Amino acid sequence: MAVLSFVEVSEGKIKKASVEAAYYGSKVAEGLGTDSIALVLGAAASDELATLGQVGVKKVLHASDARFNNFDSKAFAKAVSEAANSAGANVVVLSFNQNGKLLAPRLSVRLKAAYVPGAVELPVFNGATAVVKKNVFSGKASAHYQLNTEKKVIAVNPNSLSPVKGSGVATVEAFAPSITDADFSSVVKGTDKIVGEIPLSEAELVVSAGRGLKGPENWGMIDELAKDMGAATACSRAVADVDWRPHHEHVGQTGLTIRPNLYIAVGISGAIQHLAGVNGSKVIVVINTDPEAPFFKAADYGIVGDAFQVVPKFIEEYKKFKSAH
Ligand SMILES: Cc1cc2nc3c(=O)[nH]c(=O)nc-3n(C[C@H](O)[C@H](O)[C@H](O)COP(=O)(O)OP(=O)(O)OC[C@H]3O[C@@H](n4cnc5c(N)ncnc54)[C@H](O)[C@@H]3O)c2cc1C
């Protein structure tokens, strides 16, 4: 018996959401008194993979076949189910991120496993069954799923837990799933990646803005502050819907869920649907002209003021602080 975590790499680096999934898998393994094993598909250096030991993984199965460098849910589901079967894993954990959402349903069909999309807490086992909590209605309520099948697939909501890292080092073992070209439903012929931007889902610092900014032409100060701080930019859905900002920046119930160390919200009212995506942030700073804006209730620090006066001062002070330290 073992618990298998599927760990994604991007350009050789382990994704933050996958570190969380591996940590979750290790905690489940610890509770069951079994081993935590991770599976990595695609190119990555062994010393990078060995760092999974810091979140409790004992062994990493690594399939370095170059065909895995691009995600394909059909081929990946086959490889992950083969690894689960060969490791004797009854619990498979992965992230409920973009790829995980595509992979997990296929995987659960292959493994004949019950599946929880978006777990936010560790499962509670009772014999062969397990109960797993997930959020519903934008985090206003929770549902507890009971998994009755022998095999279980759990997709963990990104940013729902903070891995505690130790000093462990995982062993890395080559793994060769029986994959043929026919297992890949698509072939990526080329990619055009945005470079130099911090991916929002991985960011520790986020500067976000909403309709209070009046128009897309006013985002220069938000971009400048984010660049100075080494932060990612985000926005409310209201501004993404009117094309002031790209939709991949929109956070909330219908957008990304993030949990940065610092979330600065400028000119965002703090509607429940927005808060659903950011209320796990460690520190929330709100800048809003309206002292009654609901966001202030969720804020650790609030500035009642006009963004067009406050943000330039913020940038000025931040630059002074940075040059002094
Ligand atoms: C089913 C559903 C799903 C949704 N999902 C999401 C979601 O995922 N994410 C999301 O964000 N929204 C979502 N929404 C929309 C949400 O309800 C709000 O309408 C939206 O978040 C409002 O965006 P906003 O705060 O930018 O705009 P507004 O509500 O218009 O707020 C603008 C704020 O800016 C302040 N302001 C104005 N001028 C200034 C100034 N000069 N300086 C500083 N502050 C100023 C105002 O006081 C106000 O608080 C969803 C709605 C529904 C119905």
Side-chain angles (χ1 to χ4, degrees):
M1 243 272 270
V3 173
L4 183 82
S5 308
F6 168 62
V7 169
E8 286 179 71
V9 286
S10 172
E11 287 160 9
K13 293 274 168 239
I14 298 166
K15 288 189 184 175
K16 180 175 170 254
S18 287
V19 173
E20 293 163 12
Y23 176 70
Y24 186 103
S26 298
K27 285 284 161 197
V28 176
E30 194 182 302
L32 294 173
T34 185
D35 284 341
S36 168
I37 297 176
L39 172 70
V40 174
L41 302 174
S46 288
D47 48 359
E48 169 75 5
L49 303 185
T51 62
L52 286 166
Q54 294 168 4
V55 289
V57 172
K58 292 273 172 300
K59 183 167 74 178
V60 179
L61 302 174
H62 183 206
S64 57
D65 188 324
R67 289 174 297 180
F68 287 127
N69 289 345
N70 291 305
F71 178 76
D72 180 281
S73 60
K74 189 175 159 218
F76 274 48
K78 187 174 180 194
V80 180
S81 61
E82 262 189 53
N85 288 332
S86 76
N90 279 349
V91 182
V92 178
V93 179
L94 69 169
S95 174
F96 192 54
N97 61 2
Q98 207 175 345
N99 290 345
K101 284 176 188 171
L102 296 171
L103 174 59
R106 281 184 183 272
L107 188 59
S108 55
V109 170
R110 277 190 169 271
L111 293 173
K112 296 188 172 45
Y115 163 48
V116 187
V120 293
E121 281 181 9
L122 289 169
V124 177
F125 279 86
N126 181 11
T129 64
V131 174
V132 187
K133 180 179 165 184
K134 65 165 275 166
N135 289 340
V136 289
F137 299 121
S138 312
K140 286 197 109 180
S142 43
H144 294 82
Y145 280 36
Q146 180 170 310
L147 312 183
N148 293 332
T149 50
E150 188 192 3
K151 293 195 174 162
K152 299 161 182 68
V153 172
I154 303 176
V156 186
N157 229 13
N159 295 309
S160 55
L161 70 166
S162 306
V164 177
K165 292 192 177 175
S167 56
V169 179
T171 58
V172 181
E173 222 175 68
F175 177 68
S178 58
I179 294 288
T180 67
D181 286 347
D183 291 315
F184 290 81
S185 47
S186 59
V187 176
V188 177
K189 292 291 191 188
T191 50
D192 212 358
K193 283 199 177 169
I194 298 168
V195 289
E197 272 185 29
I198 299 160
L200 183 52
S201 55
E202 313 263 309
E204 298 293 356
L205 309 173
V206 174
V207 182
S208 185
R211 209 147 48 182
L213 254 66
K214 320 289 185 214
E217 67 281 5
N218 295 324
W219 247 263
M221 61 183 183
I222 299 299
D223 288 333
E224 187 181 349
L225 180 59
K227 199 164 169 240
D228 281 352
M229 298 181 74
T233 49
C235 69
S236 68
R237 173 171 160 177
V239 302
D241 279 351
V242 291
D243 286 338
W244 291 4
R245 297 301 286 180
H247 258 293
H248 67 253
E249 279 195 0
H250 132 221
V251 288
Q253 180 190 334
T254 46
L256 280 179
T257 299
I258 57 172
R259 207 184 188 200
N261 285 330
L262 176 65
Y263 184 74
I264 302 177
V266 185
I268 301 176
S269 56
I272 181 69
Q273 296 90 353
H274 185 86
L275 292 177
V278 302
N279 57 12
S281 306
K282 286 207 180 72
V283 176
I284 296 179
V285 177
V286 170
I287 301 169
N288 198 304
T289 42
D290 177 7
E292 301 298 323
F295 223 146
F296 282 120
K297 290 202 176 78
D300 297 282
Y301 300 94
I303 302 171
V304 177
D306 184 341
F308 297 96
Q309 291 172 7
V310 176
V311 176
K313 284 207 181 96
F314 205 118
I315 294 171
E316 203 183 306
E317 289 304 316
Y318 187 79
K319 282 190 198 309
K320 276 192 217 157
F321 172 82
K322 219 168 124 186
S323 62
H325 291 83

PDB file of all heavy atoms in Angstrom, residues 161-186:
ATOM      1  N   LEU A 161      -3.784  24.665   1.543  1.00  0.00           N
ATOM      2  CA  LEU A 161      -2.965  24.299   2.704  1.00  0.00           C
ATOM      3  C   LEU A 161      -1.532  24.784   2.492  1.00  0.00           C
ATOM      4  O   LEU A 161      -1.103  24.987   1.355  1.00  0.00           O
ATOM      5  CB  LEU A 161      -3.003  22.794   2.991  1.00  0.00           C
ATOM      6  CG  LEU A 161      -2.326  21.817   2.052  1.00  0.00           C
ATOM      7  CD1 LEU A 161      -2.199  20.461   2.722  1.00  0.00           C
ATOM      8  CD2 LEU A 161      -3.140  21.643   0.784  1.00  0.00           C
ATOM      9  N   SER A 162      -0.857  25.026   3.591  1.00  0.00           N
ATOM     10  CA  SER A 162       0.525  25.525   3.505  1.00  0.00           C
ATOM     11  C   SER A 162       1.477  24.417   3.904  1.00  0.00           C
ATOM     12  O   SER A 162       1.543  24.056   5.079  1.00  0.00           O
ATOM     13  CB  SER A 162       0.730  26.709   4.449  1.00  0.00           C
ATOM     14  OG  SER A 162      -0.232  27.678   4.203  1.00  0.00           O
ATOM     15  N   PRO A 163       2.241  23.871   2.946  1.00  0.00           N
ATOM     16  CA  PRO A 163       3.153  22.776   3.281  1.00  0.00           C
ATOM     17  C   PRO A 163       4.203  23.200   4.309  1.00  0.00           C
ATOM     18  O   PRO A 163       4.757  24.293   4.229  1.00  0.00           O
ATOM     19  CB  PRO A 163       3.828  22.455   1.945  1.00  0.00           C
ATOM     20  CG  PRO A 163       2.908  22.986   0.911  1.00  0.00           C
ATOM     21  CD  PRO A 163       2.239  24.181   1.518  1.00  0.00           C
ATOM     22  N   VAL A 164       4.418  22.321   5.271  1.00  0.00           N
ATOM     23  CA  VAL A 164       5.488  22.540   6.248  1.00  0.00           C
ATOM     24  C   VAL A 164       6.667  21.721   5.750  1.00  0.00           C
ATOM     25  O   VAL A 164       6.549  20.504   5.565  1.00  0.00           O
ATOM     26  CB  VAL A 164       5.054  22.063   7.654  1.00  0.00           C
ATOM     27  CG1 VAL A 164       6.185  22.228   8.654  1.00  0.00           C
ATOM     28  CG2 VAL A 164       3.806  22.807   8.107  1.00  0.00           C
ATOM     29  N   LYS A 165       7.792  22.394   5.495  1.00  0.00           N
ATOM     30  CA  LYS A 165       8.912  21.683   4.876  1.00  0.00           C
ATOM     31  C   LYS A 165       9.933  21.221   5.905  1.00  0.00           C
ATOM     32  O   LYS A 165      10.254  21.938   6.851  1.00  0.00           O
ATOM     33  CB  LYS A 165       9.588  22.573   3.834  1.00  0.00           C
ATOM     34  CG  LYS A 165       8.680  22.820   2.637  1.00  0.00           C
ATOM     35  CD  LYS A 165       9.425  23.435   1.494  1.00  0.00           C
ATOM     36  CE  LYS A 165       8.490  23.576   0.309  1.00  0.00           C
ATOM     37  NZ  LYS A 165       9.098  24.270  -0.813  1.00  0.00           N
ATOM     38  N   GLY A 166      10.439  20.023   5.683  1.00  0.00           N
ATOM     39  CA  GLY A 166      11.498  19.488   6.528  1.00  0.00           C
ATOM     40  C   GLY A 166      12.782  19.382   5.720  1.00  0.00           C
ATOM     41  O   GLY A 166      12.958  20.081   4.718  1.00  0.00           O
ATOM     42  N   SER A 167      13.671  18.486   6.149  1.00  0.00           N
ATOM     43  CA  SER A 167      14.958  18.401   5.460  1.00  0.00           C
ATOM     44  C   SER A 167      15.109  17.084   4.698  1.00  0.00           C
ATOM     45  O   SER A 167      16.219  16.713   4.315  1.00  0.00           O
ATOM     46  CB  SER A 167      16.086  18.563   6.486  1.00  0.00           C
ATOM     47  OG  SER A 167      15.902  17.575   7.487  1.00  0.00           O
ATOM     48  N   GLY A 168      14.002  16.361   4.497  1.00  0.00           N
ATOM     49  CA  GLY A 168      14.068  15.055   3.821  1.00  0.00           C
ATOM     50  C   GLY A 168      14.530  15.159   2.370  1.00  0.00           C
ATOM     51  O   GLY A 168      14.400  16.202   1.735  1.00  0.00           O
ATOM     52  N   VAL A 169      15.077  14.065   1.881  1.00  0.00           N
ATOM     53  CA  VAL A 169      15.502  13.976   0.471  1.00  0.00           C
ATOM     54  C   VAL A 169      14.859  12.705  -0.100  1.00  0.00           C
ATOM     55  O   VAL A 169      15.048  11.616   0.444  1.00  0.00           O
ATOM     56  CB  VAL A 169      17.042  13.887   0.357  1.00  0.00           C
ATOM     57  CG1 VAL A 169      17.476  13.764  -1.107  1.00  0.00           C
ATOM     58  CG2 VAL A 169      17.704  15.098   1.003  1.00  0.00           C
ATOM     59  N   ALA A 170      14.105  12.864  -1.181  1.00  0.00           N
ATOM     60  CA  ALA A 170      13.439  11.694  -1.769  1.00  0.00           C
ATOM     61  C   ALA A 170      14.386  10.964  -2.710  1.00  0.00           C
ATOM     62  O   ALA A 170      15.249  11.584  -3.341  1.00  0.00           O
ATOM     63  CB  ALA A 170      12.204  12.155  -2.537  1.00  0.00           C
ATOM     64  N   THR A 171      14.240   9.652  -2.797  1.00  0.00           N
ATOM     65  CA  THR A 171      15.009   8.918  -3.804  1.00  0.00           C
ATOM     66  C   THR A 171      14.263   9.041  -5.134  1.00  0.00           C
ATOM     67  O   THR A 171      13.034   9.155  -5.158  1.00  0.00           O
ATOM     68  CB  THR A 171      15.155   7.426  -3.456  1.00  0.00           C
ATOM     69  OG1 THR A 171      13.843   6.876  -3.320  1.00  0.00           O
ATOM     70  CG2 THR A 171      15.918   7.208  -2.174  1.00  0.00           C
ATOM     71  N   VAL A 172      15.011   9.040  -6.215  1.00  0.00           N
ATOM     72  CA  VAL A 172      14.394   9.207  -7.537  1.00  0.00           C
ATOM     73  C   VAL A 172      14.666   7.948  -8.357  1.00  0.00           C
ATOM     74  O   VAL A 172      15.811   7.510  -8.475  1.00  0.00           O
ATOM     75  CB  VAL A 172      14.962  10.459  -8.256  1.00  0.00           C
ATOM     76  CG1 VAL A 172      14.297  10.651  -9.617  1.00  0.00           C
ATOM     77  CG2 VAL A 172      14.773  11.702  -7.389  1.00  0.00           C
ATOM     78  N   GLU A 173      13.601   7.379  -8.897  1.00  0.00           N
ATOM     79  CA  GLU A 173      13.699   6.108  -9.626  1.00  0.00           C
ATOM     80  C   GLU A 173      13.095   6.286 -11.011  1.00  0.00           C
ATOM     81  O   GLU A 173      12.037   6.925 -11.133  1.00  0.00           O
ATOM     82  CB  GLU A 173      12.842   5.081  -8.867  1.00  0.00           C
ATOM     83  CG  GLU A 173      13.444   3.724  -8.717  1.00  0.00           C
ATOM     84  CD  GLU A 173      12.541   2.849  -7.851  1.00  0.00           C
ATOM     85  OE1 GLU A 173      11.450   2.500  -8.274  1.00  0.00           O
ATOM     86  OE2 GLU A 173      12.986   2.529  -6.720  1.00  0.00           O
ATOM     87  N   ALA A 174      13.745   5.720 -12.023  1.00  0.00           N
ATOM     88  CA  ALA A 174      13.182   5.842 -13.381  1.00  0.00           C
ATOM     89  C   ALA A 174      11.913   5.010 -13.483  1.00  0.00           C
ATOM     90  O   ALA A 174      11.805   3.938 -12.881  1.00  0.00           O
ATOM     91  CB  ALA A 174      14.204   5.362 -14.400  1.00  0.00           C
ATOM     92  N   PHE A 175      10.958   5.525 -14.227  1.00  0.00           N
ATOM     93  CA  PHE A 175       9.687   4.820 -14.413  1.00  0.00           C
ATOM     94  C   PHE A 175       9.335   4.889 -15.901  1.00  0.00           C
ATOM     95  O   PHE A 175       9.412   5.953 -16.508  1.00  0.00           O
ATOM     96  CB  PHE A 175       8.609   5.496 -13.553  1.00  0.00           C
ATOM     97  CG  PHE A 175       7.233   4.903 -13.719  1.00  0.00           C
ATOM     98  CD1 PHE A 175       6.954   3.616 -13.266  1.00  0.00           C
ATOM     99  CD2 PHE A 175       6.215   5.623 -14.337  1.00  0.00           C
ATOM    100  CE1 PHE A 175       5.679   3.072 -13.419  1.00  0.00           C
ATOM    101  CE2 PHE A 175       4.955   5.076 -14.491  1.00  0.00           C
ATOM    102  CZ  PHE A 175       4.679   3.799 -14.038  1.00  0.00           C
ATOM    103  N   ALA A 176       8.978   3.752 -16.477  1.00  0.00           N
ATOM    104  CA  ALA A 176       8.690   3.735 -17.919  1.00  0.00           C
ATOM    105  C   ALA A 176       7.295   3.157 -18.166  1.00  0.00           C
ATOM    106  O   ALA A 176       7.132   1.944 -18.304  1.00  0.00           O
ATOM    107  CB  ALA A 176       9.749   2.905 -18.644  1.00  0.00           C
ATOM    108  N   PRO A 177       6.276   4.021 -18.195  1.00  0.00           N
ATOM    109  CA  PRO A 177       4.926   3.513 -18.462  1.00  0.00           C
ATOM    110  C   PRO A 177       4.818   3.010 -19.903  1.00  0.00           C
ATOM    111  O   PRO A 177       5.570   3.455 -20.778  1.00  0.00           O
ATOM    112  CB  PRO A 177       4.034   4.739 -18.230  1.00  0.00           C
ATOM    113  CG  PRO A 177       4.919   5.915 -18.342  1.00  0.00           C
ATOM    114  CD  PRO A 177       6.315   5.487 -18.017  1.00  0.00           C
ATOM    115  N   SER A 178       3.892   2.077 -20.125  1.00  0.00           N
ATOM    116  CA  SER A 178       3.778   1.485 -21.471  1.00  0.00           C
ATOM    117  C   SER A 178       2.946   2.388 -22.383  1.00  0.00           C
ATOM    118  O   SER A 178       1.785   2.122 -22.669  1.00  0.00           O
ATOM    119  CB  SER A 178       3.127   0.101 -21.376  1.00  0.00           C
ATOM    120  OG  SER A 178       1.854   0.251 -20.768  1.00  0.00           O
ATOM    121  N   ILE A 179       3.567   3.481 -22.789  1.00  0.00           N
ATOM    122  CA  ILE A 179       2.873   4.500 -23.588  1.00  0.00           C
ATOM    123  C   ILE A 179       3.289   4.378 -25.053  1.00  0.00           C
ATOM    124  O   ILE A 179       4.470   4.161 -25.351  1.00  0.00           O
ATOM    125  CB  ILE A 179       3.263   5.905 -23.047  1.00  0.00           C
ATOM    126  CG1 ILE A 179       2.734   6.118 -21.634  1.00  0.00           C
ATOM    127  CG2 ILE A 179       2.808   7.017 -23.971  1.00  0.00           C
ATOM    128  CD1 ILE A 179       1.245   6.302 -21.530  1.00  0.00           C
ATOM    129  N   THR A 180       2.320   4.522 -25.933  1.00  0.00           N
ATOM    130  CA  THR A 180       2.659   4.591 -27.365  1.00  0.00           C
ATOM    131  C   THR A 180       2.157   5.939 -27.891  1.00  0.00           C
ATOM    132  O   THR A 180       1.380   6.617 -27.204  1.00  0.00           O
ATOM    133  CB  THR A 180       1.955   3.470 -28.166  1.00  0.00           C
ATOM    134  OG1 THR A 180       0.546   3.739 -28.140  1.00  0.00           O
ATOM    135  CG2 THR A 180       2.235   2.089 -27.581  1.00  0.00           C
ATOM    136  N   ASP A 181       2.575   6.287 -29.104  1.00  0.00           N
ATOM    137  CA  ASP A 181       2.136   7.576 -29.674  1.00  0.00           C
ATOM    138  C   ASP A 181       0.610   7.657 -29.746  1.00  0.00           C
ATOM    139  O   ASP A 181       0.030   8.736 -29.617  1.00  0.00           O
ATOM    140  CB  ASP A 181       2.733   7.774 -31.072  1.00  0.00           C
ATOM    141  CG  ASP A 181       4.221   8.118 -30.993  1.00  0.00           C
ATOM    142  OD1 ASP A 181       4.686   8.446 -29.868  1.00  0.00           O
ATOM    143  OD2 ASP A 181       4.903   8.042 -32.030  1.00  0.00           O
ATOM    144  N   ALA A 182      -0.031   6.498 -29.932  1.00  0.00           N
ATOM    145  CA  ALA A 182      -1.494   6.477 -30.061  1.00  0.00           C
ATOM    146  C   ALA A 182      -2.191   6.873 -28.757  1.00  0.00           C
ATOM    147  O   ALA A 182      -3.376   7.218 -28.757  1.00  0.00           O
ATOM    148  CB  ALA A 182      -1.948   5.090 -30.482  1.00  0.00           C
ATOM    149  N   ASP A 183      -1.457   6.835 -27.627  1.00  0.00           N
ATOM    150  CA  ASP A 183      -2.064   7.228 -26.352  1.00  0.00           C
ATOM    151  C   ASP A 183      -2.212   8.747 -26.226  1.00  0.00           C
ATOM    152  O   ASP A 183      -2.911   9.233 -25.344  1.00  0.00           O
ATOM    153  CB  ASP A 183      -1.223   6.708 -25.182  1.00  0.00           C
ATOM    154  CG  ASP A 183      -1.293   5.197 -25.077  1.00  0.00           C
ATOM    155  OD1 ASP A 183      -2.414   4.662 -25.182  1.00  0.00           O
ATOM    156  OD2 ASP A 183      -0.238   4.559 -24.927  1.00  0.00           O
ATOM    157  N   PHE A 184      -1.516   9.473 -27.081  1.00  0.00           N
ATOM    158  CA  PHE A 184      -1.589  10.942 -27.004  1.00  0.00           C
ATOM    159  C   PHE A 184      -2.683  11.431 -27.938  1.00  0.00           C
ATOM    160  O   PHE A 184      -2.636  11.171 -29.144  1.00  0.00           O
ATOM    161  CB  PHE A 184      -0.232  11.566 -27.380  1.00  0.00           C
ATOM    162  CG  PHE A 184       0.821  11.322 -26.346  1.00  0.00           C
ATOM    163  CD1 PHE A 184       1.507  10.109 -26.299  1.00  0.00           C
ATOM    164  CD2 PHE A 184       1.106  12.282 -25.382  1.00  0.00           C
ATOM    165  CE1 PHE A 184       2.468   9.860 -25.330  1.00  0.00           C
ATOM    166  CE2 PHE A 184       2.069  12.038 -24.405  1.00  0.00           C
ATOM    167  CZ  PHE A 184       2.745  10.839 -24.378  1.00  0.00           C
ATOM    168  N   SER A 185      -3.654  12.146 -27.366  1.00  0.00           N
ATOM    169  CA  SER A 185      -4.765  12.586 -28.224  1.00  0.00           C
ATOM    170  C   SER A 185      -4.391  13.831 -29.020  1.00  0.00           C
ATOM    171  O   SER A 185      -5.026  14.161 -29.995  1.00  0.00           O
ATOM    172  CB  SER A 185      -6.012  12.838 -27.385  1.00  0.00           C
ATOM    173  OG  SER A 185      -5.689  13.599 -26.256  1.00  0.00           O
ATOM    174  N   SER A 186      -3.359  14.543 -28.596  1.00  0.00           N
ATOM    175  CA  SER A 186      -2.937  15.723 -29.359  1.00  0.00           C
ATOM    176  C   SER A 186      -1.427  15.872 -29.235  1.00  0.00           C
ATOM    177  O   SER A 186      -0.813  15.340 -28.310  1.00  0.00           O
ATOM    178  CB  SER A 186      -3.622  16.979 -28.803  1.00  0.00           C
ATOM    179  OG  SER A 186      -3.280  17.129 -27.442  1.00  0.00           O
TER     180      SER A 186
END
